[in-house]
mmCIF file of all heavy atoms in Angstrom:
data_model
loop_
_atom_site.group_PDB
_atom_site.id
_atom_site.type_symbol
_atom_site.label_atom_id
_atom_site.label_comp_id
_atom_site.label_asym_id
_atom_site.label_seq_id
_atom_site.Cartn_x
_atom_site.Cartn_y
_atom_site.Cartn_z
ATOM 1 N N LYS J 130 7.070 -11.281 -5.056
ATOM 2 C CA LYS J 130 8.473 -11.440 -4.669
ATOM 3 C C LYS J 130 8.623 -11.765 -3.172
ATOM 4 O O LYS J 130 8.288 -10.949 -2.318
ATOM 5 C CB LYS J 130 9.304 -10.195 -5.019
ATOM 6 C CG LYS J 130 9.415 -9.954 -6.513
ATOM 7 C CD LYS J 130 10.292 -8.751 -6.789
ATOM 8 C CE LYS J 130 10.348 -8.460 -8.272
ATOM 9 N NZ LYS J 130 11.121 -7.255 -8.567
ATOM 10 N N ASN J 131 9.190 -12.923 -2.920
ATOM 11 C CA ASN J 131 9.470 -13.372 -1.556
ATOM 12 C C ASN J 131 8.246 -13.278 -0.642
ATOM 13 O O ASN J 131 8.288 -12.703 0.435
ATOM 14 C CB ASN J 131 10.644 -12.589 -0.957
ATOM 15 C CG ASN J 131 11.922 -12.777 -1.746
ATOM 16 O OD1 ASN J 131 12.266 -13.884 -2.132
ATOM 17 N ND2 ASN J 131 12.614 -11.691 -2.024
ATOM 18 N N VAL J 132 7.171 -13.864 -1.105
ATOM 19 C CA VAL J 132 5.927 -13.859 -0.332
ATOM 20 C C VAL J 132 6.054 -14.892 0.784
ATOM 21 O O VAL J 132 6.459 -16.029 0.558
ATOM 22 C CB VAL J 132 4.716 -14.200 -1.220
ATOM 23 C CG1 VAL J 132 3.436 -14.225 -0.394
ATOM 24 C CG2 VAL J 132 4.593 -13.192 -2.363
ATOM 25 N N LYS J 133 5.697 -14.475 1.992
ATOM 26 C CA LYS J 133 5.703 -15.375 3.146
ATOM 27 C C LYS J 133 4.381 -15.219 3.885
ATOM 28 O O LYS J 133 3.920 -14.092 4.110
ATOM 29 C CB LYS J 133 6.865 -15.053 4.081
ATOM 30 C CG LYS J 133 6.907 -15.953 5.313
ATOM 31 C CD LYS J 133 8.027 -15.557 6.256
ATOM 32 C CE LYS J 133 8.019 -16.423 7.505
ATOM 33 N NZ LYS J 133 9.060 -16.011 8.466
ATOM 34 N N GLY J 134 3.775 -16.349 4.240
ATOM 35 C CA GLY J 134 2.535 -16.312 4.996
ATOM 36 C C GLY J 134 2.616 -17.224 6.198
ATOM 37 O O GLY J 134 3.230 -18.289 6.149
ATOM 38 N N ILE J 135 2.010 -16.810 7.307
ATOM 39 C CA ILE J 135 1.928 -17.640 8.509
ATOM 40 C C ILE J 135 0.471 -17.714 8.936
ATOM 41 O O ILE J 135 -0.194 -16.678 9.115
ATOM 42 C CB ILE J 135 2.804 -17.083 9.648
ATOM 43 C CG1 ILE J 135 4.279 -17.141 9.259
ATOM 44 C CG2 ILE J 135 2.570 -17.873 10.940
ATOM 45 C CD1 ILE J 135 5.228 -16.598 10.310
ATOM 46 N N TYR J 136 -0.028 -18.961 9.090
ATOM 47 C CA TYR J 136 -1.421 -19.168 9.501
ATOM 48 C C TYR J 136 -1.492 -20.406 10.392
ATOM 49 O O TYR J 136 -1.121 -21.507 9.964
ATOM 50 C CB TYR J 136 -2.320 -19.359 8.270
ATOM 51 C CG TYR J 136 -3.768 -19.609 8.608
ATOM 52 C CD1 TYR J 136 -4.577 -18.578 9.069
ATOM 53 C CD2 TYR J 136 -4.316 -20.887 8.482
ATOM 54 C CE1 TYR J 136 -5.911 -18.806 9.379
ATOM 55 C CE2 TYR J 136 -5.651 -21.117 8.792
ATOM 56 C CZ TYR J 136 -6.436 -20.067 9.246
ATOM 57 O OH TYR J 136 -7.750 -20.284 9.569
ATOM 58 N N GLU J 137 -1.908 -20.215 11.623
ATOM 59 C CA GLU J 137 -2.088 -21.325 12.565
ATOM 60 C C GLU J 137 -0.838 -22.204 12.673
ATOM 61 O O GLU J 137 -0.924 -23.425 12.658
ATOM 62 C CB GLU J 137 -3.286 -22.190 12.138
ATOM 63 C CG GLU J 137 -4.622 -21.483 12.225
ATOM 64 C CD GLU J 137 -5.113 -21.340 13.658
ATOM 65 O OE1 GLU J 137 -5.675 -22.284 14.199
ATOM 66 O OE2 GLU J 137 -4.911 -20.247 14.223
ATOM 67 N N GLY J 138 0.328 -21.587 12.725
ATOM 68 C CA GLY J 138 1.579 -22.329 12.869
ATOM 69 C C GLY J 138 2.149 -22.865 11.577
ATOM 70 O O GLY J 138 3.258 -23.403 11.566
ATOM 71 N N SER J 139 1.423 -22.747 10.479
ATOM 72 C CA SER J 139 1.914 -23.188 9.171
ATOM 73 C C SER J 139 2.601 -22.026 8.462
ATOM 74 O O SER J 139 2.131 -20.889 8.537
ATOM 75 C CB SER J 139 0.763 -23.693 8.304
ATOM 76 O OG SER J 139 0.137 -24.794 8.910
ATOM 77 N N GLU J 140 3.695 -22.328 7.767
ATOM 78 C CA GLU J 140 4.426 -21.309 7.008
ATOM 79 C C GLU J 140 4.287 -21.595 5.525
ATOM 80 O O GLU J 140 4.402 -22.735 5.094
ATOM 81 C CB GLU J 140 5.903 -21.303 7.402
ATOM 82 C CG GLU J 140 6.145 -20.896 8.831
ATOM 83 C CD GLU J 140 7.621 -20.861 9.177
ATOM 84 O OE1 GLU J 140 8.461 -20.845 8.241
ATOM 85 O OE2 GLU J 140 7.938 -20.856 10.373
ATOM 86 N N LEU J 141 4.064 -20.544 4.775
ATOM 87 C CA LEU J 141 3.886 -20.680 3.331
ATOM 88 C C LEU J 141 4.838 -19.724 2.625
ATOM 89 O O LEU J 141 4.961 -18.563 3.020
ATOM 90 C CB LEU J 141 2.441 -20.336 2.958
ATOM 91 C CG LEU J 141 2.115 -20.512 1.485
ATOM 92 C CD1 LEU J 141 0.862 -21.358 1.346
ATOM 93 C CD2 LEU J 141 1.891 -19.164 0.838
ATOM 94 N N TYR J 142 5.519 -20.221 1.579
ATOM 95 C CA TYR J 142 6.460 -19.404 0.809
ATOM 96 C C TYR J 142 6.102 -19.486 -0.666
ATOM 97 O O TYR J 142 5.753 -20.555 -1.164
ATOM 98 C CB TYR J 142 7.898 -19.899 1.022
ATOM 99 C CG TYR J 142 8.336 -19.841 2.458
ATOM 100 C CD1 TYR J 142 8.158 -20.927 3.308
ATOM 101 C CD2 TYR J 142 8.922 -18.695 2.980
ATOM 102 C CE1 TYR J 142 8.549 -20.869 4.634
ATOM 103 C CE2 TYR J 142 9.318 -18.625 4.302
ATOM 104 C CZ TYR J 142 9.134 -19.720 5.131
ATOM 105 O OH TYR J 142 9.522 -19.657 6.443
ATOM 106 N N ALA J 143 6.175 -18.368 -1.355
ATOM 107 C CA ALA J 143 5.880 -18.329 -2.796
ATOM 108 C C ALA J 143 6.431 -17.028 -3.362
ATOM 109 O O ALA J 143 7.019 -16.208 -2.643
ATOM 110 C CB ALA J 143 4.374 -18.423 -3.037
ATOM 111 N N GLN J 144 6.215 -16.836 -4.665
ATOM 112 C CA GLN J 144 6.631 -15.597 -5.311
ATOM 113 C C GLN J 144 5.444 -14.708 -5.678
ATOM 114 O O GLN J 144 5.626 -13.559 -6.064
ATOM 115 C CB GLN J 144 7.453 -15.904 -6.562
ATOM 116 C CG GLN J 144 8.792 -16.570 -6.253
ATOM 117 C CD GLN J 144 9.654 -15.739 -5.331
ATOM 118 O OE1 GLN J 144 9.852 -14.548 -5.538
ATOM 119 N NE2 GLN J 144 10.170 -16.349 -4.275
ATOM 120 N N LYS J 145 4.224 -15.248 -5.532
ATOM 121 C CA LYS J 145 3.045 -14.452 -5.873
ATOM 122 C C LYS J 145 1.849 -14.919 -5.045
ATOM 123 O O LYS J 145 1.661 -16.112 -4.824
ATOM 124 C CB LYS J 145 2.721 -14.599 -7.365
ATOM 125 C CG LYS J 145 1.565 -13.746 -7.826
ATOM 126 C CD LYS J 145 1.319 -13.918 -9.319
ATOM 127 C CE LYS J 145 0.118 -13.113 -9.774
ATOM 128 N NZ LYS J 145 -0.184 -13.304 -11.195
ATOM 129 N N ALA J 146 1.052 -13.963 -4.578
ATOM 130 C CA ALA J 146 -0.203 -14.271 -3.884
ATOM 131 C C ALA J 146 -1.230 -13.213 -4.283
ATOM 132 O O ALA J 146 -0.887 -12.053 -4.503
ATOM 133 C CB ALA J 146 -0.009 -14.277 -2.376
ATOM 134 N N GLU J 147 -2.471 -13.648 -4.381
ATOM 135 C CA GLU J 147 -3.533 -12.757 -4.855
ATOM 136 C C GLU J 147 -4.758 -12.927 -3.962
ATOM 137 O O GLU J 147 -5.283 -14.036 -3.818
ATOM 138 C CB GLU J 147 -3.866 -13.151 -6.296
ATOM 139 C CG GLU J 147 -5.046 -12.454 -6.896
ATOM 140 C CD GLU J 147 -5.395 -13.027 -8.262
ATOM 141 O OE1 GLU J 147 -4.609 -13.820 -8.825
ATOM 142 O OE2 GLU J 147 -6.478 -12.696 -8.754
ATOM 143 N N PHE J 148 -5.192 -11.831 -3.332
ATOM 144 C CA PHE J 148 -6.398 -11.847 -2.518
ATOM 145 C C PHE J 148 -7.516 -11.154 -3.301
ATOM 146 O O PHE J 148 -7.426 -9.974 -3.626
ATOM 147 C CB PHE J 148 -6.186 -11.119 -1.184
ATOM 148 C CG PHE J 148 -7.462 -10.854 -0.437
ATOM 149 C CD1 PHE J 148 -8.178 -11.890 0.132
ATOM 150 C CD2 PHE J 148 -7.957 -9.568 -0.327
ATOM 151 C CE1 PHE J 148 -9.362 -11.646 0.814
ATOM 152 C CE2 PHE J 148 -9.135 -9.308 0.338
ATOM 153 C CZ PHE J 148 -9.837 -10.357 0.912
ATOM 154 N N SER J 149 -8.580 -11.924 -3.609
ATOM 155 C CA SER J 149 -9.733 -11.363 -4.320
ATOM 156 C C SER J 149 -10.859 -11.162 -3.323
ATOM 157 O O SER J 149 -11.409 -12.125 -2.780
ATOM 158 C CB SER J 149 -10.182 -12.310 -5.440
ATOM 159 O OG SER J 149 -11.388 -11.831 -6.007
ATOM 160 N N ASN J 150 -11.193 -9.911 -3.065
ATOM 161 C CA ASN J 150 -12.263 -9.593 -2.128
ATOM 162 C C ASN J 150 -13.624 -9.981 -2.707
ATOM 163 O O ASN J 150 -14.466 -10.555 -2.018
ATOM 164 C CB ASN J 150 -12.224 -8.104 -1.790
ATOM 165 C CG ASN J 150 -13.272 -7.715 -0.779
ATOM 166 O OD1 ASN J 150 -13.480 -8.410 0.208
ATOM 167 N ND2 ASN J 150 -13.944 -6.611 -1.021
ATOM 168 N N SER J 151 -13.835 -9.696 -4.002
ATOM 169 C CA SER J 151 -15.139 -9.966 -4.616
ATOM 170 C C SER J 151 -15.423 -11.463 -4.722
ATOM 171 O O SER J 151 -16.557 -11.906 -4.551
ATOM 172 C CB SER J 151 -15.211 -9.329 -6.003
ATOM 173 O OG SER J 151 -14.154 -9.800 -6.810
ATOM 174 N N LYS J 152 -14.378 -12.284 -4.963
ATOM 175 C CA LYS J 152 -14.570 -13.730 -5.100
ATOM 176 C C LYS J 152 -14.213 -14.484 -3.823
ATOM 177 O O LYS J 152 -14.359 -15.698 -3.751
ATOM 178 C CB LYS J 152 -13.742 -14.251 -6.271
ATOM 179 C CG LYS J 152 -14.193 -13.658 -7.600
ATOM 180 C CD LYS J 152 -13.318 -14.137 -8.732
ATOM 181 C CE LYS J 152 -13.745 -13.492 -10.046
ATOM 182 N NZ LYS J 152 -12.848 -13.844 -11.151
ATOM 183 N N SER J 153 -13.728 -13.767 -2.828
ATOM 184 C CA SER J 153 -13.451 -14.323 -1.503
ATOM 185 C C SER J 153 -12.483 -15.510 -1.525
ATOM 186 O O SER J 153 -12.763 -16.575 -0.979
ATOM 187 C CB SER J 153 -14.768 -14.725 -0.828
ATOM 188 O OG SER J 153 -14.610 -14.718 0.560
ATOM 189 N N PHE J 154 -11.328 -15.312 -2.187
ATOM 190 C CA PHE J 154 -10.308 -16.357 -2.163
ATOM 191 C C PHE J 154 -8.920 -15.735 -2.085
ATOM 192 O O PHE J 154 -8.717 -14.560 -2.398
ATOM 193 C CB PHE J 154 -10.406 -17.277 -3.390
ATOM 194 C CG PHE J 154 -9.969 -16.642 -4.688
ATOM 195 C CD1 PHE J 154 -8.629 -16.470 -4.995
ATOM 196 C CD2 PHE J 154 -10.910 -16.226 -5.621
ATOM 197 C CE1 PHE J 154 -8.236 -15.885 -6.189
ATOM 198 C CE2 PHE J 154 -10.520 -15.649 -6.823
ATOM 199 C CZ PHE J 154 -9.178 -15.477 -7.098
ATOM 200 N N LEU J 155 -7.982 -16.573 -1.647
ATOM 201 C CA LEU J 155 -6.567 -16.208 -1.632
ATOM 202 C C LEU J 155 -5.836 -17.251 -2.469
ATOM 203 O O LEU J 155 -5.845 -18.436 -2.137
ATOM 204 C CB LEU J 155 -6.022 -16.194 -0.200
ATOM 205 C CG LEU J 155 -4.532 -15.877 -0.057
ATOM 206 C CD1 LEU J 155 -4.236 -14.443 -0.464
ATOM 207 C CD2 LEU J 155 -4.064 -16.120 1.366
ATOM 208 N N LYS J 156 -5.251 -16.819 -3.587
ATOM 209 C CA LYS J 156 -4.541 -17.730 -4.483
ATOM 210 C C LYS J 156 -3.045 -17.477 -4.364
ATOM 211 O O LYS J 156 -2.585 -16.348 -4.489
ATOM 212 C CB LYS J 156 -4.999 -17.520 -5.929
ATOM 213 C CG LYS J 156 -4.296 -18.436 -6.913
ATOM 214 C CD LYS J 156 -4.970 -18.467 -8.276
ATOM 215 C CE LYS J 156 -4.764 -17.183 -9.027
ATOM 216 N NZ LYS J 156 -5.278 -17.245 -10.413
#
Side-chain angles (χ1 to χ4, degrees):
K130 294 182 183 177
N131 299 316
V132 179
K133 179 183 178 183
I135 295 179
Y136 179 74
E137 294 285 278
S139 299
E140 295 182 16
L141 183 129
Y142 300 91
Q144 294 302 311
K145 183 179 177 183
E147 173 187 349
F148 168 70
S149 173
N150 182 44
S151 57
K152 297 177 182 175
S153 205
F154 72 77
L155 178 67
K156 180 166 71 174

